[in-house]
Amino acid sequence: MFKIGLHYAFRNILRTPLRSFFTVFSIAMVISLYTLLIAIANSFTGQIKTLMQQESVDIIVQSKFSTTPISSSISEDIVKKIITTDGIKSHVGIVLGKKRLEDRSAIFLFGIGNFSQVAPKLGLTLKEGRLHRSGQQELLMSQRLMKSKKISVGDTITLPEEKPFKVVGSYHSWISFFNSSIITDLNSARTLLHKPNKTNMLFLSLNDPRTTSEFIREINQQYPALMAVKSSDFSSTLGAIKNIFYLSDIIAVITLIIASAILMNTFLIAVNERTKEIGILNAIGWRRDMIVYIFVIESLFLALLGGVLGFFISVGMLAYLKVTYVDILVYLPESLDMSIFVYTMLMSMLIAIISATLPAWYASKILIAKALKDG
């Protein structure tokens, strides 16, 4: 009986190929948007958390009222006082900001004092060329950025209103925002970003992590203009960036509702068209659970097909965004892995079950006499 029901479900899908196609296509487009939004949000926040673990950072210090790490500013005098405090094992200061290339596209600029020391902690690997030298108008550029800009090691780039810089090496990182950046020495970065004697963020590792709360309380009391937080709480201080991800979550929920509505509408129409058939099936002995089974199978097939198609569309959209919109590379994941695919399939199944519930329930309640008469 169940094999017959399965056959009947697929026959109904093929009976209206145009409607089935547009249903699958609509679900695929909605799922692709959902997949891309979730992948971007999870990738960016996940990278930050992983970075903190890789670095073994206990405390992150930035300006108290800064909305993003870029707007943060800590004077060198205060940095020196903090890092000479007893109990601090190591520290990393970073200067960062946005600059524009000659084609007006925006990139991230990082100032790092000792690349060899800091690189392993930040997931950076030199791939080609050599390291930059301090005060020599030299920089490193990510492989991804070099590829998109068609720049090679040895080329010279000019930042508007600045002296030319020579690209002496390329690097790669598992962190997306480094793969959208250029790196130079601290002093050059401060000059380019017009931040003399300033540091954007300070990462602190303690000799005894159990004293983290005490250190945070001491820093916040001694320096009211600064905000020290545990590394695990850093993602909650991302300000405007965090709001963007909240918005992406809202959009993702809306897309799921739209996908469910599309599929539900398809089956409500199908139920009205098949009223007589449903009555005949009831008359020849089909149980109500078999009627429900037919609609659930149809819904699952259409939703899963749309989910698979949507996932591959999102893969293509991701590749397109990387090439066309370099400014947003920082927010894009390297790729969509299998976990995202599995999650997409689970969400497609959820859409299918939600969408099939009302039409299946309505179909199972149709009286035989009424169905035959109306049909």
Side-chain angles (χ1 to χ4, degrees):
M1 181 67 76
F2 283 99
K3 288 184 178 180
I4 296 175
L6 186 64
H7 173 77
Y8 189 83
F10 283 109
R11 193 204 69 173
N12 288 333
I13 292 172
L14 297 176
R15 186 166 59 178
T16 54
L18 191 61
R19 182 196 298 167
S20 298
F21 169 78
F22 279 109
T23 299
V24 170
F25 181 75
S26 299
I27 293 172
M29 296 306 296
V30 173
I31 288 292
S32 65
L33 176 61
Y34 172 82
T35 302
L36 204 55
L37 287 172
I38 293 298
I40 291 173
N42 290 348
S43 173
F44 193 77
T45 54
Q47 288 170 30
I48 291 174
K49 291 179 181 179
T50 306
L51 174 60
M52 297 302 103
Q53 295 172 355
Q54 288 283 110
E55 169 64 14
S56 298
V57 172
D58 297 306
I59 299 173
I60 298 176
V61 184
Q62 61 180 359
S63 297
K64 187 173 185 178
F65 299 107
S66 59
T67 55
T68 66
I70 291 178
S71 62
S72 173
S73 180
I74 309 172
S75 71
E76 274 300 284
D77 291 338
I78 293 179
V79 169
K80 289 178 181 179
K81 291 179 182 179
I82 293 176
I83 63 177
T84 55
T85 305
D86 291 337
I88 294 181
K89 179 181 179 181
S90 62
H91 70 278
V92 175
I94 292 181
V95 176
L96 70 153
K98 274 191 173 184
K99 293 293 290 185
R100 291 193 179 274
L101 297 177
E102 291 177 291
D103 63 359
R104 307 304 298 168
S105 62
I107 59 170
F108 281 88
L109 170 65
F110 283 83
I112 299 177
N114 190 329
F115 184 89
S116 299
Q117 178 184 356
V118 177
K121 301 176 181 180
L122 300 180
L124 302 170
T125 304
L126 186 68
K127 290 295 185 179
E128 187 180 0
R130 60 174 175 82
L131 299 180
H132 59 276
R133 292 175 295 200
S134 180
Q136 298 298 313
Q137 302 293 117
E138 297 177 345
L139 56 81
L140 304 177
M141 182 176 285
S142 70
Q143 283 188 323
R144 181 196 287 182
L145 197 57
M146 290 177 69
K147 183 178 180 181
S148 66
K149 297 297 181 182
K150 298 181 180 179
I151 295 174
S152 303
V153 172
D155 290 349
T156 299
I157 66 171
T158 300
L159 303 173
E161 302 178 1
E162 305 290 350
K163 295 179 180 179
F165 272 71
K166 184 178 182 180
V167 180
V168 297
S170 66
Y171 68 88
H172 178 74
S173 174
W174 48 265
I175 305 171
S176 287
F177 51 81
F178 282 122
N179 284 332
S180 313
S181 311
I182 57 177
I183 296 175
T184 186
D185 61 277
L186 278 174
N187 290 332
S188 294
R190 285 168 176 157
T191 300
L192 290 170
L193 297 171
H194 307 291
K195 297 180 179 181
N197 300 316
K198 298 293 182 181
T199 298
N200 287 89
M201 299 180 67
L202 184 62
F203 298 165
L204 304 176
S205 298
L206 307 180
N207 289 322
D208 185 1
R210 292 174 296 181
T211 62
T212 298
S213 298
E214 180 182 341
F215 263 93
I216 289 175
R217 185 167 54 253
E218 182 179 338
I219 292 173
N220 289 334
Q221 289 177 350
Q222 190 171 352
Y223 307 101
L226 301 183
M227 178 179 66
V229 297
K230 292 181 180 179
S231 60
S232 58
D233 297 333
F234 177 61
S235 60
S236 64
T237 68
L238 288 175
I241 296 176
K242 185 181 177 185
N243 291 334
I244 291 174
F245 294 141
Y246 281 147
L247 179 61
S248 71
D249 289 340
I250 294 172
I251 295 174
V253 172
I254 292 174
T255 59
L256 291 179
I257 294 174
I258 293 173
S260 299
I262 291 170
L263 198 54
M264 185 177 295
N265 181 66
T266 297
F267 285 108
L268 286 173
I269 294 173
V271 168
N272 288 327
E273 291 177 347
R274 302 176 198 167
T275 301
K276 185 175 181 179
E277 292 182 27
I278 293 170
I280 292 173
L281 292 175
N282 276 321
I284 63 175
W286 278 49
R287 300 189 305 273
R288 287 183 174 179
D289 60 327
M290 287 299 298
I291 304 296
V292 172
Y293 172 74
I294 292 172
F295 284 97
V296 171
I297 290 297
E298 288 185 43
S299 182
L300 281 172
F301 181 79
L302 292 174
L304 290 175
L305 186 58
V308 172
L309 181 60
F311 177 82
F312 286 106
I313 290 175
S314 62
V315 171
M317 290 174 62
L318 179 62
Y320 173 77
L321 290 173
K322 286 181 179 180
V323 174
T324 309
Y325 299 98
V326 180
D327 291 2
I328 64 171
L329 279 175
V330 62
Y331 304 111
L332 301 179
E334 284 292 318
S335 61
L336 301 180
D337 56 28
M338 186 55 64
S339 63
I340 294 293
F341 177 76
V342 172
Y343 188 72
T344 300
M345 292 300 99
L346 290 175
M347 294 312 300
S348 298
M349 291 177 65
L350 178 61
I351 290 171
I353 294 172
I354 293 174
S355 303
T357 300
L358 179 59
W361 177 83
Y362 177 70
S364 67
K365 295 296 183 180
I366 294 177
L367 298 175
I368 297 176
K370 185 178 182 298
L372 296 175
K373 180 181 177 181
D374 294 342

